[in-house]
């Protein structure tokens, strides 16, 4: 992998902090407390997006990026922390219009550099895909931005397996680096098809095989299944549970509830530990509303599941047994 971003398989450094609500739902004090705790616990990569916060018209544009940038400046940790972002999301005012043209991507990168206070952003992901645009036309400007030193590397978010495979063929033919990481929705609880918003792509069997065959790292969002494994007994009256309410996810929750006491961690942390034990590099994006929740999330990095338990969970979740 080129650039300064690293997905080295140190369990604590594999965890990535999601910052969806920074600068909006979470104010400066709350955001800084979570960022400080993340670094104290051994985390090194922060995930934001150029669009995060833009749904709050009272907030400054790209509120999350700005908050992360303010923290990086305040703590003087730009050289030891990987602040990554996502670009190319459609405007929230006109979501039907893509923003994946070279000019829009460059604008997002330039603004993100200013927001984060970085000359080179270690990693940017394309936040969305558009099958109407040839893959080569999407990769070409990203290669240019990398050569220019605006970004260290680039990845994909919410790309289908078909398009990811095509990107690898194009990159190999052109001698380009191509995507160095893929960011799908992926937790052990699979969201119902009707629950996944338009344009968002979840890990499935075909994508999992692509990662196994290629070794392409994954950095999944919703890796904690939005807290489903701590809430599932509440039933469909709970808005979060409704996103995952089926027999397969309930069976997974039951198994994790059975195993969790054996490892002394909550079921949610155990589910993340399963992802960390994948045959290819996985850096789950974790979210937390409080410092206590964040510290608990790091317990996933210390879990060493037995081969038998790992096989049982993977078999139930239809993941290959390694």
């Amino acid at each position: 992998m080129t650039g300064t971003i690293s997905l080295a398989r140190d369990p604590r450094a594999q965890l990535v902090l999601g910052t969806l609500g920074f600068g909006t739902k979470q104010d400066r004090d709350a955001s800084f407390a979570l960022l400080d705790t993340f670094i104290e616990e051994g985390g090194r990569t922060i995930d934001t997006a150029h669009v995060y916060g833009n749904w709050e018209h009272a907030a400054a544009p790209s509120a999350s990026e700005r908050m992360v940038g303010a923290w990086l400046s305040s703590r003087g940790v730009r050289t030891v922390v990987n602040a990554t972002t996502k670009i190319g999301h459609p405007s929230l005012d006109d979501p039907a219009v893509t923003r994946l043209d070279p000019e829009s991507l460059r604008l997002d990168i330039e603004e993100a550099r200013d927001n984060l206070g970085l000359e080179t952003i270690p990693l940017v992901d394309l936040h969305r895909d558009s099958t109407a645009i040839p893959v080569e036309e999407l990769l070409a400007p990203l290669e240019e931005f990398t050569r220019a030193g605006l970004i260290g590397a680039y990845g994909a978010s919410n790309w289908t397996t078909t398009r990811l495979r095509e990107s690898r063929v194009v990159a190999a033919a052109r001698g380009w680096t191509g995507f160095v990481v893929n960011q799908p929705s992926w937790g052990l609880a699979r969201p119902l098809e009707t629950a996944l918003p338009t344009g968002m792509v979840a890990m499935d069997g075909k994508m999992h095989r692509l990662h196994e065959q290629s070794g392409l790292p994954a950095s999944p969002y919703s890796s904690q299944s939005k807290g489903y494994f701590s809430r599932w007994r509440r039933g469909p009256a709970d808005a979060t549970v409704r996103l995952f309410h089926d027999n397969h996810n309930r069976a997974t929750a039951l198994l994790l509830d059975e195993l969790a006491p054996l490892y002394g961690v909550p079921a949610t942390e155990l589910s993340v530990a399963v992802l960390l034990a994948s045959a290819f590099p996985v850096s789950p994006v974790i979210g937390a509303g409080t410092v206590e929740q964040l510290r608990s999330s790091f317990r996933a990095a210390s879990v060493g599941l037995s081969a038998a338990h790992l096989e049982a969970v993977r078999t139930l979740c239809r993941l290959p047994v390694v």
Side-chain angles (χ1 to χ4, degrees):
M1 183 181 300
T2 62
T4 59
I5 186 69
S6 173
L7 295 181
R9 303 195 72 179
D10 167 30
R12 302 183 79 76
Q14 277 180 255
L15 296 179
V16 177
L17 181 63
T19 63
L20 180 69
F22 284 20
T24 50
K25 183 178 180 180
Q26 288 142 327
D27 63 14
R28 181 184 176 96
D29 287 346
S31 299
F32 275 34
L34 288 169
L35 288 161
D36 287 342
T37 300
F38 181 71
I39 298 304
E40 290 169 8
E41 291 290 330
R44 288 296 178 267
T45 301
I46 300 165
D47 175 89
T48 184
H50 198 54
V51 74
Y52 284 176
N54 287 358
W55 44 82
E56 294 285 352
H57 294 294
S62 304
S64 174
E65 278 184 350
R66 291 171 184 266
M67 187 66 72
V68 172
W71 176 81
L72 289 171
S73 176
S74 172
R75 301 302 188 256
V77 292
R78 287 194 176 95
T79 60
V80 297
V81 173
N82 291 312
T84 72
T85 195
K86 295 181 284 293
I87 61 172
H89 194 286
S91 167
L92 299 183
D93 295 326
D94 195 358
V97 178
T98 61
R99 296 186 60 261
L100 294 169
D101 57 282
E103 293 76 16
S104 295
L105 296 178
R106 179 179 285 274
L107 177 62
D108 282 4
I109 288 174
E110 294 287 6
E111 291 178 347
R113 290 169 73 218
D114 288 340
N115 292 336
L116 295 168
L118 296 173
E119 181 177 346
T120 301
I121 302 174
L123 172 74
V124 298
D125 292 331
L126 287 185
H127 209 159
R128 290 290 189 272
D129 184 21
S130 171
T131 56
I133 304 175
V135 167
E136 185 169 359
E137 292 183 17
L138 293 174
L139 298 191
L142 296 172
E143 283 289 321
E144 178 184 335
F145 301 148
T146 304
R147 290 193 298 269
L150 302 180
I151 61 177
Y154 59 90
S157 183
N158 296 304
W159 277 50
T160 63
T161 304
T162 298
R163 292 278 283 184
L164 287 171
R165 288 191 183 280
E166 186 177 349
S167 77
R168 296 180 66 80
V169 171
V170 168
R174 295 296 184 187
W176 294 344
T177 301
F179 293 132
V180 301
V181 66
N182 175 38
Q183 190 180 82
S185 170
W186 185 27
L188 291 191
R190 300 186 307 228
L192 305 182
E193 289 187 13
T194 55
L196 204 62
T198 301
M200 299 174 76
V201 177
M203 177 76 77
D204 60 13
K206 290 182 180 180
M207 186 178 290
H208 197 277
R209 285 191 291 275
L210 168 64
H211 281 279
E212 282 199 310
Q213 293 165 359
S214 67
L216 178 67
S219 185
Y221 62 89
S222 295
S223 67
Q224 297 158 307
S225 303
K226 299 184 181 295
Y228 170 78
F229 294 117
S230 66
R231 306 164 68 99
W232 71 277
R233 292 183 186 276
R234 301 180 187 182
D238 184 289
T240 296
V241 174
R242 283 200 300 274
L243 302 175
F244 304 93
H245 193 63
D246 67 10
N247 290 333
H248 174 270
N249 289 330
R250 285 193 294 276
T252 302
L254 277 169
L255 177 57
L256 292 177
D257 278 355
E258 177 184 336
L259 296 178
L262 303 178
Y263 294 94
V265 299
T268 297
E269 278 73 342
L270 191 61
S271 74
V272 174
V274 173
L275 301 185
L276 288 171
S278 297
F280 50 88
V282 177
S283 292
V285 179
I286 56 173
T290 67
V291 165
E292 292 72 23
Q293 290 173 349
L294 183 56
R295 290 197 190 281
S296 181
S297 295
F298 268 91
R299 298 166 71 183
S302 63
V303 174
L305 285 95
S306 73
H309 291 158
L310 195 55
E311 179 178 354
V313 176
R314 284 176 167 155
T315 299
L316 180 59
C317 295
R318 300 169 192 169
L319 299 176
V321 177
V322 295

